[in-house]
Amino acid sequence: MRLKLSLPKEAKHKQLVSCVGWTSADELYSCSDDHQILKWNLLNGETTLVVKLPDDTYPINLHWFPKNTGSKKQAQSEIFVLTSSDGKFHLISKFGRVEKSVEAHSGAVITGRWNYDGTALLTVGEDGFIKMWSKSGMLRSTVAQTGSPVYSVAWAPDSEQILYPLGKQLVIKPLQPNSKVTQWKAHDGVILNVDWNSVNDRILSAGEDCKYKVWDSYGLLLYSSAPHEYPITAVSWAPDGELFAVGSFHTLRLCDKTGWSYSLEKPNTGSVFNIAWSVDGTQMAGACGNGQVIFAHVVEQHWEWKNFEVTLVKRRAMQVRNVVNDAVDLLEFRDRVIKASLNYGHLVVSTSLQCYIFSTKNWNTPLIFDLKEGTVTLILQCERHFLLVDGGSLFLFSYEGRLISSPRVPGMRIDNLNVQTVSLSNDTIAIKDKGDEKLIYLFDALSGKPFGDGKPLTHKMDILQIALDQSGHANGRKIAFVDKNRDLYISPVKRIGKEQRPIKIGTMVHTLAWNDVSNVLCGLQDNRFTVWYYPNVAYVDLNLLAKTLYEKDGSEYSKTPQIVSFVGNRVTIRRSDGSLMHTNVSPYPAILQNYILSSKWDDAVRLCRFVKEESLWSCLAAMAVASKEMATAEVAYAAIGEIDKVKYINSIKDLPSNESRLAHIQLLSGNFQEAEASLLQAGLMYQAIQLNIDSFNWERALDLAVKHKTHVDTVLAYRQKYLDNFRRKETNKRFLQYAEGINVDWEKIKAKIEMELVKERERVTMGSSGPSVRSSIS
Amino acid sequence: MAAGPTLLLWTRSASPEVAWINNQLLSPWQHSGWSWRHIGRPEQADDPVSVCGSRFSVLSCLYRVWSGFAQLQRAEMARDSLSEAGLHFDELNKLRILDPEVSQQTTELKEECRDFVDKIDQFQKIVGGLIDLVDQLAKETENEKMKAIGARNLLRSIAKQREAQQQQLYALIAEKKMQLERYRIEYDALCKVEAEQNEFIDKFILQK
C-alpha cells in the first residue's frame, strides 16, 4: 500500500497553508496565511476563492461541522469553525459567509473541534484554556485551564471524554465533573498534535521529539516510531481507523493502525501542518508550508485469499492474479473503489455508487447492484453471504446480490463498527455495543431479528473483540470474545438454561480468529500461539480443554501481533513491525470435525488411530460426548487414559432407563442442573435424589425427598453414613428435625432402592412393549 | 611688342600691407620681416602698369617708387610720434588705438583660445566617452560579480540541497529496507511452512 501524490505545479496560496478540511469525497477547503479560503473541486480540478478574510485574521485551524449520517439530504457539511490567531473563532458557511465570530481566547485559538454528533465545540488556545461552546457559539463551560498553550484537542469516540496534550504529557479528561483524569508522559518533546479514532478507539500523538506514537484509550503504548529528522507536525486517522497519515517537513507517511509504516513519501512541500482525510477514507489532503495543498490517495491495497492476489492498481482498477497459473485479470470500475473484501471465493468491492460481487471462478461477469448511501465503511464476508455497513445501516446480501436482511440496532452508531466489534456467520450476526461495551447483540442473519427474547449477551467486563464460529449447525453456534482483562470466553449464541454461561477458555489473549471452514479457533495467548482444536469442549468436558489445545512458542511473532486470517490450515499473522508470518496448523481436527458433522464415527476413530495424537483423541472424546455417542466416547477416553471417564461411561450403560442414561451423560458434561431437571421431568425421583446424594448435595436431596414424600430415609441414611465416615455430628437443623421421626434401616432402604430400579426397568420394557401389546389386542 | 624688363614686386603676404605697398610702392628696407613676391611681369617697358588704380609706364613707375621712398621716410617719422601718444596706424593706414601688433597677437590669442576651447571640447568628449565606457564596464563587472556570488551561493546551497536530498533518499532507502526485512521474514516463514508441509507429506506417505 502506498500513497499516490498529486502536487499542483504552482502554489495556489501565496503564503503557508495552515489547514484543510473536506466537505465531501471530492471537495476540499483550504485556509492560508494570505487570508484566502479556497475551495478545491477534485472532479473538475478547479480551484475557486470562497472568501478573503480581513487582513488581521490569520486562520489556524478549521473543522467542518459533522454531517448527520443517515439522512441523505445532508450529504455535505454546511458550516465549519475556523480558529484564528486573533483569539476568535468564526463559524463560516460553505459559501464563505461568516455567520458568527466569537472572542474566545486571549492569544491565538489553536484548534476547534466539533464532537461527533455536532452538539458541542471545543476550542483550545495559547492561553491554556479549553472551552466548550454550544453549536451556535455560546460559551458553555471552561473544561480545563492549564498553564501552557494547548496545541491540539480530540474528542473520544463517545464524546464523553476529551484528549489534549499538555507539554510532554497527554491528558484524557472526562467531561463529567469529579471524574478521574488520566494523564501520562507521552513524549520527550512538546506534543504538537493528537488524534483519537472513533472506530478503533486508538490515540495518535506526535511531537517535537520527532516521533509519533499510537496508544490505546487507556494510555497503553502500542507503537512508538523511530525518531524522524524533523518534528512531526500533523497526524490524522483515516475515518475507518485502518490507516493513519503522518506529516512532517518534506515528509508524508502512511501507516497501519498498529503503527508500522506502509510507505514514505518525500514531496517538496515544506512542513505539512494539517492533514485531513476525505469522508470515504480513500484520499487525503495536506496543508503545506510552501503554500501548496498536496493531495494523496491510497493505492496498491492488497488482498489475498488462497491462490488469489488482488491489488488495487489504480483508483478505479484492480488486478487479480491467480498464483497457481499466473493468470492476470484486470477489473475496472466506473467509480472510485472505496472498500473491498476477498474471502470465501468471492471478491466484494464497493465503489462510491455501486457494489460489485466477483466470483473467483469468473472474473469477467461481476454482479452489480446500486448502493443506498455509497459510504460503505465495512464489508464482512461469510460463506453464504456478506454484510455491508453503509451509512447508518447494516445490510446483509447474498452473493447473488439479493438483500437478505437489515438488522437494526437501537441507539447505536453503526458507522464506527470494525472487524473486532462485529462478526458474521452463516446464520448469526453479532455486534458489540459501543455504548455499553459489556453487551453483545445477536441477530438471526436470515431474518435480521434479535435471537430469543432480544436481550443482548451480557458479560461482566468490557469486551474488546468478538468472533463467531463459521461451520456446523446454527444451534451449536458459538461466539468467542476477549474482554478487557484479555480473557477469552466462549458462549453459545442460543442460550438454553443457566448452564450455558460463557466459559473462560484462555487468558492473556491478544488476538484470535476462527477458521473459515471448521470450528477451530486460534489465538495468541501471552506469547504462545494457541489453537483450540475443539473449543466446544468447554461445554462438554472442561477438564479435557487443556488436552485439545495445540500450543507453540510465539516469541517469533514479537510483541502484539495480529492474526490476519485463518484460512484452511494456514494462519497468517502480522507482527507489530508489519511483516506477515505464516504458520500451519494440523489439518486433522478439521477433518475430524467434518466426519462428526456427517456422523461418520467409525471414520473418525480410524483417523484418530492413524494420527495417534492425544489432542485428536481428546477432541473425539468431547465430540462423541456432545453427540451422545457413548461407544466412541469410551474408545476415545480409553485412548487418552481417562480411566475414570471410561468407567463412568460403562456405568451409564448399565443404567436402567434411557432417561437416566441421558441425565448421566449430561452429568458427564458437568451439566448438573440439566441432568437433575431431565430426571425430574421423567418422574425418576429416586434417581434425582440419588444424583444429589452422590454429589453430596444433601440439602437439595432432602428437599426433593420431602417434596415428593419418598426416600427421606434413604437421604438420611446416606447422610448418616457420610457423617460417620468423617466422624462428625449432625449440625444441620433440618436433618436433625427429620431424623427424629425416622428410623434408619439399611435393609429396608436397599430393598426400596432395588424396587425403584426394577420399577424403572419395567417402565422401559412397558414403554417399549406397550404398543406391541396394544397392537396384539386390536 | 618687345618684352619689357621683368618687374618683380615683392610684398608681404597679408593683404592690407600689400594694398598699402601697391599704393605707396615698396619700402622694403623700412620693415624687417617683409617678404617679397612676384606679382606680375609687364609685357613691355612702357606698358602701363596698374598700380593702385593709376596707369604708369614702368619707368615712371620706378621713379614714383623712388620718390615714394622719400615720402615714406617722412611718414615713418610721423608715425613714431603718434604711437607714443597711443595712436597707431594699421597697415591700411587706418588709425588704431591698439598697437596692430598687439591686436594681431590678441587675434592670435583669440584664435588660439578658440583652438584650445575646441580641443578641450574634444578632450571632454573623448573623456566622456571613456567615462561612459568605464561605467559600462563597471556595471558589467558588478553584474558578473553578482552572478558569481549567486553562483557561489547556489553552489553552496546545492551542497546543502544534495545533503537534504541524500537525507531524503536515505530515509526512502531505510523505508525500503524495512519493507525488504518484512518480505524476508515472510519468506522465511513461508519456507518454514513449506518444509513443514513437505515433512507432513513425507510422513503421510510413509505411514500409508
Side-chain angles (χ1 to χ4, degrees):
Chain A
M1 208 180 295
R2 67 180 181 90
L3 286 173
K4 198 172 169 195
L5 304 179
S6 62
L7 197 61
K9 278 206 190 82
E10 298 261 315
K12 292 278 184 348
H13 283 290
K14 291 176 207 73
Q15 301 258 324
L16 72 83
V17 184
S18 52
C19 46
V20 288
W22 294 85
T23 54
S24 66
D26 300 297
E27 196 177 69
L28 180 90
Y29 279 58
S30 68
C31 302
S32 157
D33 270 5
D34 61 6
H35 313 291
Q36 289 183 341
I37 299 179
L38 294 186
K39 180 165 84 175
W40 304 69
N41 187 331
L42 298 191
L43 290 178
N44 53 19
E46 274 175 11
T47 311
T48 45
L49 175 69
V50 178
V51 67
K52 192 158 186 329
L53 298 168
D55 273 353
D56 55 346
T57 306
Y58 289 91
I60 296 179
N61 206 303
L62 75 81
H63 191 217
W64 280 94
F65 186 76
K67 64 172 184 179
N68 289 336
T69 48
S71 61
K72 181 102 179 168
K73 281 170 206 157
Q74 275 191 312
Q76 281 200 343
S77 320
E78 297 293 327
I79 196 168
F80 63 91
V81 58
L82 182 82
T83 63
S84 63
S85 59
D86 52 3
K88 289 179 185 168
F89 70 82
H90 313 271
L91 299 176
I92 302 177
S93 79
K94 68 173 185 171
F95 304 108
R97 202 160 67 86
V98 179
E99 310 271 348
K100 193 160 190 182
S101 289
V102 180
E103 194 80 46
H105 292 264
S106 57
V109 188
I110 297 174
T111 305
R113 278 281 171 277
W114 298 101
N115 68 356
Y116 285 97
D117 42 10
T119 50
L121 170 71
L122 271 182
T123 59
V124 296
E126 268 182 333
D127 54 0
F129 281 85
I130 300 174
K131 292 180 178 175
M132 189 153 76
W133 309 79
S134 74
K135 188 186 166 186
S136 54
M138 305 293 288
L139 181 64
R140 273 208 201 131
S141 60
T142 300
V143 181
Q145 186 178 345
T146 65
S148 54
V150 181
Y151 292 110
S152 184
V153 72
W155 285 94
D158 54 4
S159 296
E160 299 277 317
Q161 304 179 71
I162 60 163
L163 165 77
Y164 59 89
L166 189 63
K168 297 170 184 176
Q169 298 194 313
L170 282 176
V171 183
I172 296 179
K173 189 181 165 89
L175 291 178
Q176 275 126 359
N178 303 328
S179 41
K180 201 172 150 270
V181 175
T182 318
Q183 185 169 359
W184 72 95
K185 180 172 184 267
H187 283 262
D188 295 327
V190 175
I191 300 171
L192 297 176
N193 214 324
V194 293
D195 198 9
W196 196 340
N197 188 259
S198 67
V199 177
N200 62 19
D201 204 14
R202 287 184 181 180
I203 293 169
L204 264 179
S205 65
E208 287 195 333
D209 60 351
C210 307
K211 289 180 183 172
Y212 61 85
K213 297 186 179 185
V214 186
W215 312 84
D216 72 3
S217 55
Y218 307 108
L220 180 76
L221 179 67
L222 300 178
Y223 183 84
S224 170
S225 78
H228 290 59
E229 304 95 81
Y230 301 99
I232 294 172
T233 43
V235 282
S236 178
W237 279 108
D240 64 357
E242 289 296 313
L243 302 167
F244 64 88
V246 175
S248 176
F249 179 74
H250 277 344
T251 305
L252 212 53
R253 208 182 251 285
L254 180 71
C255 301
D256 186 72
K257 67 175 173 196
T258 49
W260 59 278
S261 134
Y262 276 110
S263 82
L264 171 73
E265 303 291 338
K266 290 278 187 183
N268 202 8
T269 54
S271 282
V272 179
F273 286 110
N274 187 230
I275 295 175
W277 285 85
S278 72
V279 182
D280 58 8
T282 57
Q283 56 188 333
M284 54 175 235
C288 308
N290 61 357
Q292 297 264 33
V293 173
I294 189 167
F295 291 93
H297 63 259
V298 181
V299 291
E300 289 180 16
Q301 274 154 296
H302 201 72
W303 295 268
E304 265 179 49
W305 182 76
K306 289 197 173 167
N307 54 332
F308 292 101
E309 273 183 356
V310 177
T311 311
L312 184 73
V313 284
K314 278 186 278 181
R315 264 189 278 196
R316 294 187 181 85
M318 277 181 168
Q319 183 185 290
V320 183
R321 189 162 155 255
N322 186 344
V323 182
V324 173
N325 55 12
D326 241 350
V328 173
D329 289 273
L330 193 71
L331 316 178
E332 287 187 330
F333 303 94
R334 236 178 46 199
D335 309 291
R336 203 174 40 237
V337 173
I338 293 175
K339 285 266 165 199
S341 170
L342 174 66
N343 216 335
Y344 295 103
H346 288 90
L347 171 68
V348 181
V349 180
S350 78
T351 67
S352 47
L353 292 174
Q354 288 168 317
C355 181
Y356 293 71
I357 307 163
F358 295 88
S359 163
T360 51
K361 293 184 192 103
N362 179 6
W363 294 106
N364 297 325
T365 47
L367 218 137
I368 306 169
F369 61 87
D370 286 347
L371 288 170
K372 287 220 170 65
E373 299 251 349
T375 53
V376 173
T377 52
L378 181 69
I379 303 173
L380 211 59
Q381 286 180 274
C382 72
E383 197 183 340
R384 285 192 216 135
H385 29 247
F386 63 93
L387 187 75
L388 285 185
V389 182
D390 186 7
S393 328
L394 294 163
F395 299 100
L396 191 72
F397 287 96
S398 70
Y399 286 118
E400 289 81 47
R402 189 169 53 83
L403 178 66
I404 297 172
S405 66
S406 173
R408 303 215 165 274
V409 194
M412 199 172 138
R413 286 182 58 218
I414 294 298
D415 52 342
N416 51 23
L417 286 178
N418 64 11
V419 187
Q420 256 126 47
T421 56
V422 58
S423 183
L424 176 71
S425 74
N426 281 341
D427 40 59
T428 313
I429 302 169
I431 299 167
K432 191 186 93 176
D433 195 343
K434 261 274 173 186
D436 184 358
E437 304 215 40
K438 298 180 180 74
L439 305 183
I440 302 173
Y441 294 103
L442 294 159
F443 298 92
D444 184 359
L446 300 179
S447 65
K449 300 229 163 55
F451 270 131
D453 50 4
K455 273 192 192 145
L457 177 69
T458 314
H459 188 56
K460 54 184 187 289
M461 192 81 73
D462 283 1
I463 294 165
L464 296 179
Q465 188 179 358
I466 62 174
L468 285 167
D469 64 355
Q470 295 295 324
S471 85
H473 302 297
N475 285 333
R477 187 66 57 231
K478 297 277 186 298
I479 181 164
F481 56 86
V482 178
D483 70 10
K484 207 173 124 182
N485 284 354
R486 293 283 171 196
D487 289 335
L488 170 63
Y489 285 82
I490 187 163
S491 167
V493 165
K494 292 181 181 166
R495 281 153 299 147
I496 314 145
K498 228 179 163 186
E499 293 292 317
Q500 306 251 353
R501 280 195 318 267
I503 296 176
K504 184 160 115 178
I505 58 168
T507 51
M508 293 294 288
V509 176
H510 297 291
T511 170
L512 77 159
W514 285 98
N515 186 258
D516 62 336
V517 287
S518 62
N519 287 345
V520 177
L521 181 70
C522 74
L524 283 150
Q525 252 194 113
D526 207 358
N527 54 17
R528 281 162 304 142
F529 172 71
T530 311
V531 183
W532 287 264
Y533 282 147
Y534 185 59
N536 196 29
V537 70
Y539 286 98
V540 180
D541 188 348
L542 197 55
N543 299 333
L544 273 183
L545 179 67
K547 287 190 174 168
T548 61
L549 292 186
Y550 165 74
E551 285 197 331
K552 194 172 87 167
D553 180 40
S555 51
E556 58 179 327
Y557 305 122
S558 72
K559 221 181 76 184
T560 62
Q562 290 290 321
I563 295 180
V564 179
S565 68
F566 185 10
V567 175
N569 48 27
R570 201 174 79 175
V571 185
T572 308
I573 297 165
R574 202 181 271 288
R575 297 189 351 170
S576 54
D577 66 352
S579 48
L580 287 171
M581 303 271 290
H582 304 272
T583 186
N584 267 346
V585 299
S586 163
Y588 297 123
I591 299 171
L592 190 68
Q593 285 192 9
N594 278 336
Y595 281 142
I596 305 307
L597 273 180
S598 47
S599 299
K600 291 178 183 159
W601 295 101
D602 293 343
D603 287 341
V605 172
R606 216 171 294 132
L607 177 75
C608 289
R609 285 195 179 125
F610 171 72
V611 178
K612 296 194 206 78
E613 269 179 23
E614 198 185 34
S615 56
L616 212 60
W617 280 115
S618 308
C619 291
L620 181 63
M623 289 169 184
V625 173
S627 315
K628 306 194 171 47
E629 182 67 36
M630 281 305 139
T632 316
E634 198 183 338
V635 175
Y637 272 121
I640 53 173
E642 300 253 340
I643 306 303
D644 50 340
K645 297 275 168 59
V646 178
K647 284 210 155 174
Y648 190 62
I649 290 170
N650 275 329
S651 76
I652 291 173
K653 277 183 185 163
D654 293 340
L655 283 173
S657 71
N658 217 9
E659 283 91 350
S660 51
R661 244 172 269 151
L662 277 179
H664 278 270
I665 293 171
Q666 291 273 23
L667 205 59
L668 181 65
S669 313
N671 296 343
F672 182 84
Q673 283 182 345
E674 270 178 46
E676 190 196 59
S678 64
L679 284 173
L680 289 176
Q681 211 172 3
L684 300 171
M685 299 312 153
Y686 161 69
Q687 288 283 12
I689 291 164
Q690 188 63 44
L691 198 69
N692 278 310
I693 292 172
D694 287 348
S695 47
F696 309 108
N697 217 345
W698 300 109
E699 295 245 351
R700 176 73 182 154
L702 189 62
D703 277 350
L704 283 175
V706 171
K707 193 174 160 196
H708 296 283
K709 295 190 180 63
T710 168
H711 287 292
V712 179
D713 54 343
T714 315
V715 177
L716 288 173
Y718 275 102
R719 171 79 174 176
Q720 196 56 53
K721 199 174 161 191
Y722 163 76
L723 288 173
D724 286 349
N725 281 348
F726 285 92
R727 300 207 177 113
R728 293 186 60 175
K729 286 221 149 179
E730 182 64 79
T731 49
N732 192 314
K733 276 184 187 159
R734 289 191 64 198
F735 276 95
L736 285 172
Q737 181 196 333
Y738 284 105
E740 270 175 23
I742 289 164
N743 211 358
V744 175
D745 184 352
W746 274 105
E747 295 296 320
K748 244 167 88 182
I749 290 164
K750 273 180 185 161
K752 219 166 145 188
I753 290 169
E754 202 55 43
M755 208 175 73
E756 284 280 355
L757 292 177
V758 169
K759 225 161 79 187
E760 197 180 329
R761 250 179 230 117
E762 270 170 10
R763 237 174 56 141
V764 175
T765 46
M766 284 261 295
S768 56
S769 61
S772 62
V773 171
R774 241 173 277 142
S775 63
S776 65
I777 290 168
S778 59
Chain B
M1 284 201 298
T6 306
L7 179 67
L8 295 174
L9 282 183
W10 297 95
T11 169
R12 238 177 74 168
S13 57
S15 52
E17 281 84 354
V18 170
W20 185 76
I21 287 167
N22 286 345
N23 257 349
Q24 301 292 320
L25 293 177
L26 299 166
S27 56
W29 51 90
Q30 285 273 313
H31 299 286
S32 60
W34 287 64
S35 60
W36 298 94
R37 66 183 172 114
H38 167 244
I39 52 167
R41 196 188 79 174
E43 301 287 316
Q44 272 183 322
D46 52 0
D47 253 8
V49 175
S50 164
V51 179
C52 303
S54 309
R55 284 170 174 263
F56 303 101
S57 72
V58 175
L59 287 179
S60 65
C61 188
L62 279 177
Y63 168 74
R64 277 179 177 246
V65 168
W66 289 118
S67 61
F69 279 141
Q71 229 177 343
L72 201 66
Q73 230 160 357
R74 284 194 302 276
E76 279 298 311
M77 285 165 69
R79 191 178 295 172
D80 283 346
S81 56
L82 266 174
S83 66
E84 270 165 30
L87 290 172
H88 308 273
F89 288 97
D90 67 0
E91 285 156 1
L92 296 171
N93 285 337
K94 284 189 179 156
L95 197 66
R96 301 274 168 143
I97 298 169
L98 205 61
D99 182 3
E101 213 169 318
V102 173
S103 149
Q104 196 204 339
Q105 277 172 0
T106 309
T107 321
E108 273 173 22
L109 186 67
K110 196 175 136 195
E111 284 293 310
E112 248 167 77
C113 277
R114 187 174 295 137
D115 275 4
F116 179 73
V117 167
D118 280 353
K119 274 185 186 156
I120 287 290
D121 269 357
Q122 213 174 340
F123 177 72
Q124 213 153 17
K125 225 179 264 168
I126 289 168
V127 167
L130 191 72
I131 286 172
D132 279 354
L133 206 74
V134 169
D135 273 357
Q136 214 175 325
L137 214 65
K139 217 180 265 172
E140 258 167 51
T141 316
E142 196 68 21
N143 266 348
E144 289 304 313
K145 203 168 91 187
M146 289 315 282
K147 265 187 202 164
I149 289 172
R152 197 162 56 194
N153 284 349
L154 210 66
L155 199 69
R156 220 175 275 158
S157 79
I158 273 178
K160 248 182 210 165
Q161 247 175 43
R162 289 262 175 255
E163 215 169 278
Q165 259 175 5
Q166 198 181 16
Q167 220 173 26
Q168 288 188 3
L169 288 176
Y170 275 137
L172 290 173
I173 288 170
E175 193 70 17
K176 294 274 181 239
K177 266 189 185 156
M178 262 161 69
Q179 185 62 39
L180 180 71
E181 179 64 15
R182 273 179 220 140
Y183 283 137
R184 196 191 57 73
I185 290 169
E186 188 175 354
Y187 177 73
D188 285 353
L190 281 171
C191 282
K192 227 163 148 188
V193 167
E194 192 191 8
E196 268 172 32
Q197 288 196 336
N198 282 335
E199 197 185 331
F200 177 82
I201 290 168
D202 288 347
K203 223 160 72 186
F204 198 75
I205 290 168
L206 277 179
Q207 276 189 2
K208 277 255 160 128

